[in-house]
């Protein structure tokens, strides 16, 4: 139970909310991680800062057999995405990318093998500032056809999405991550975007290779069951956009509104004042036929 | 003559426009799907396998061209969004993004709605709605708009109030300032008590164990049904004494000794037992030496031993836990 305001704020940040925080990722090294895998983890940490934690020490666990230690780490650091790197003879240069929900239990885990890796420091180009929201592009029909690829796509989007913002500076769109699925391999490339002048409003795009590029092969998967996944997708009702009553749109885009009025007495309606038509006192008293105590203003 | 000229001019202008747009248009077989809230684009076209399967440098160039085309389309979509200049005329051009459409799983389950407080229930019952209050109040003495409460409030600083009138029915010797201070303290304490009670109620509601339903659901076992039948029998005004039994239902004797503490013996029962009990009681009361109750002594000893064992186990577990957790 919290005793200070600071502790209370800390706990409040971690409890379930209507609109959730940006997901943090934890990057863990396995017992036998080699240089390639360590470099991959460091590069992805650089891309995902400040929403990532990089663990420096090696952790001897096997995510596919035992998930308790991963769940413990996620509970301690409040991270809901993880990336686990390891290397052995049977599975060289292994990366397990995973996500979870519902009180820190593992939801999906996909094991990918890294075939080729070009790191950030190997590419001698200018880099974009850290924390930029990347543009994500997925190419290839495999990402729709295959169920595992679809889960992988949603996992990758969740991983690299960054904070969700209401508006974005158009000149600041500098970073793009491009994933291509071809022949059972997934090519991930990152480019820096240069906006060149074109004749019209939309600029012409030129890409410059930057940043980590990976060639991935899908190995094992541990996907959550369908109903558990559906349960995790459920959004609370309060987040649904409120429907405005009495407003309708038609096919052409015209908006129609409906106003409900009370019954109006048209004889007492306020119209333009025309001085010539004003009733003179003599006429009025003749009409009323008697002394009326209240003086009424003609209008 | 003039008409032809006009047509020529229009055609030339259109061609110029097309020329300009050529640098930013991209041809694709299938349209891409966009989710601008996430800055996401999905290309369903099967990638040109022939070019990409080849050697490495050729592949890089082909991938880069594909990426360039897709990015061009995504940027074109983003530039279509309603944009405004943030921070005045000279600021950067900012586009307003729509809500992210792609459904991603939540991190934690959605929070349960907290139960309404006692005031909220009452207000809902009576139909009382929140009145919006103005933040500033007109102060007559200072002749300006002051806050409703806080620093420099409208009624003057309450700590400096130098006059406290004695109300009509009050004791003239009573210290009014002390009374005001005491009443404020009481109000604050009552408010705090109510707030804590509301919190406790919300917390209890969150961790409540659902009781077994008393109406028939489809999934009750034999024991549950018999329990429910027993409860239903006893829920009459005479506590089930005059309820007729079903033909094959076994009759239960009225167990007036159901509780351990409130046990009533029948009035004219075992006279000899009652006599011996009363005589024993008198003897124990009259004796000088203290009486030893064997059962109570043994129970006390057992309880003490259990408590010691539990304390020792607890200490050992916490020690072991600390060692295991260190990473």
């Amino acid at each position: 139970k919290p005793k200070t305001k600071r502790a209370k704020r800390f706990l409040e940040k971690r409890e379930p909310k209507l609109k959730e925080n940006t997901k943090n990722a934890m990057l863990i090294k396995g017992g036998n991680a080699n240089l390639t895998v360590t470099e991959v983890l460091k590069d992805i940490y650089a891309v995902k800062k400040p929403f990532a934690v990089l663990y420096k020490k090696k952790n001897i666990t096997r995510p596919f057999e035992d998930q308790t230690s991963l769940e413990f780490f996620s509970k301690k650091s409040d991270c809901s995405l993880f990336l686990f790197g390891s290397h052995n003879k049977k599975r060289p240069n292994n990366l397990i990318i995973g996500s979870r929900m519902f009180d820190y239990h593992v939801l999906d885990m996909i094991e990918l093998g890294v075939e080729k890796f070009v790191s950030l420091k190997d590419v001698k180009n200018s880099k974009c500032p850290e924390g930029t929201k990347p543009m994500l592009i997925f190419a290839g029909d495999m990402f729709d056809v295959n169920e595992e690829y679809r889960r992988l796509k949603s996992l990758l989007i969740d991983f690299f999405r960054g904070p969700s913002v209401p508006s974005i500076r158009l000149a600041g769109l500098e970073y793009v991550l491009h994933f291509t699925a071809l022949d059972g391999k997934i090519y991930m490339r990152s480019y820096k975007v240069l906006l060149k002048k074109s004749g019209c409003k939309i600029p012409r795009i030129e890409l410059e290779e930057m940043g980590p590029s990976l060639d991935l092969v899908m190995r094992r998967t541990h996907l959550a069951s369908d109903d558990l996944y559906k349960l995790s997708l459920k959004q609370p009702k309060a987040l649904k956009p409120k429907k405005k009553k009495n407003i309708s749109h038609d096919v052409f885009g015209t908006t129609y509104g409906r106003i409900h009025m009370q019954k109006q007495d048209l004889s007492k309606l306020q119209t333009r004042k025309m001085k010539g038509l004003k009733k003179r006192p003599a006429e009025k008293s003749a009409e009323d036929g008697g002394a009326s105590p209240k003086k009424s203003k003609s209008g | 003559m003039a008409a032809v000229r006009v047509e020529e001019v229009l055609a030339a202008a259109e061609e110029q426009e097309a020329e300009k747009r050529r640098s930013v248009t991209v041809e694709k077989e299938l349209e891409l799907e966009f989710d601008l809230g996430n800055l996401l684009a999905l290309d369903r076209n099967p990638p040109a396998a022939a070019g990409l399967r080849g050697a490495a440098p050729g592949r890089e160039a082909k991938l880069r061209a594909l990426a360039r085309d897709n990015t061009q389309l995504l940027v074109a979509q983003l530039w279509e969004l309603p944009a405004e200049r943030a921070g005045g005329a000279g600021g950067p051009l900012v586009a307003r993004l729509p809500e992210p459409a792609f459904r991603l799983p939540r991190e934690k389950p959605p929070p349960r709605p907290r139960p309404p407080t006692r005031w909220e229930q009452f207000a809902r019952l009576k139909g009382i709605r929140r009145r919006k209050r103005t933040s500033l109040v007109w102060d007559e003495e200072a002749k300006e708009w002051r806050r409703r409460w806080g620093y420099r409030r409208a009624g003057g600083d309450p700590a400096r109030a130098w006059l406290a009138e004695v109300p009509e029915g009050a004791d003239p010797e009573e210290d009014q300032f002390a009374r005001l201070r005491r009443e404020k303290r009481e109000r604050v304490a009552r408010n705090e008590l109510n707030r804590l009670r509301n919190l406790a109620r919300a917390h209890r509601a969150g961790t409540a164990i659902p009781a077994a339903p008393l109406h028939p659901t489809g999934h009750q076992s034999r024991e549950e049904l018999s329990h429910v039948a027993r409860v239903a029998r006893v829920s009459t005004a005479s506590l089930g004494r005059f309820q007729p039994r079903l033909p094959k239902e076994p009759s239960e004797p009225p167990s007036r000794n159901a509780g351990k503490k409130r046990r009533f013996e029948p009035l004219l029962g075992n006279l000899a037992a009652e006599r011996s009990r009363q005589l024993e009681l008198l003897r124990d009361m009259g004796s000088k030496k203290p009486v030893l109750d064997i059962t109570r002594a043994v129970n006390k000893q057992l309880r003490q031993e259990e408590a010691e064992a539990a304390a020792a186990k607890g200490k050992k577990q916490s020690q072991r836990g600390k060692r295991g957790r260190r990473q």
Side-chain angles (χ1 to χ4, degrees), chain A residues 10 22 29 33 60 66 80 82 156 168 172 212 222 259 263 279:
Chain A
F10 178 83
T22 317
K29 290 199 281 190
I60 308 178
D66 171 38
S80 44
F82 70 90
L156 290 169
I168 191 159
H222 171 87
I259 309 176
K263 204 166 168 66
K279 284 207 176 102

Side-chain angles (χ1 to χ4, degrees), chain A residues 17 80 138 144 183 204, chain B residues 23 43-44 53 106-107:
Chain A
K17 288 183 227 171
S80 44
F138 287 81
D144 276 317
D183 285 347
R204 183 175 162 80
Chain B
S23 59
D43 182 8
R44 279 175 214 255
R53 217 171 278 161
R106 275 180 69 97
E107 197 176 34

Side-chain angles (χ1 to χ4, degrees), chain A residues 97-136:
Chain A
I97 182 167
S99 84
R100 68 207 40 215
M101 61 111 214
F102 276 27
D103 300 332
Y104 313 106
H105 289 302
V106 172
L107 188 59
D108 279 345
M109 271 198 297
I110 300 184
E111 193 174 45
L112 303 161
V114 177
E115 307 239 306
K116 191 172 82 106
F117 170 61
V118 179
S119 129
L120 269 171
K121 37 192 208 308
D122 289 342
V123 179
K124 307 266 184 273
N125 281 333
S126 61
K127 314 279 186 248
C128 61
E130 100 190 359
T132 22
K133 194 168 153 86
M135 293 191 274
L136 301 161

Side-chain angles (χ1 to χ4, degrees), chain B residues 49-79:
Chain B
L52 288 171
R53 217 171 278 161
R59 187 164 58 197
E60 289 301 314
K62 282 275 168 40
L63 280 174
R64 196 192 206 154
L66 181 64
R68 197 218 78 81
D69 289 340
N70 286 334
T71 321
Q72 181 74 67
L73 287 168
L74 180 57
V75 167
Q77 285 288 319
L78 284 169
W79 244 257

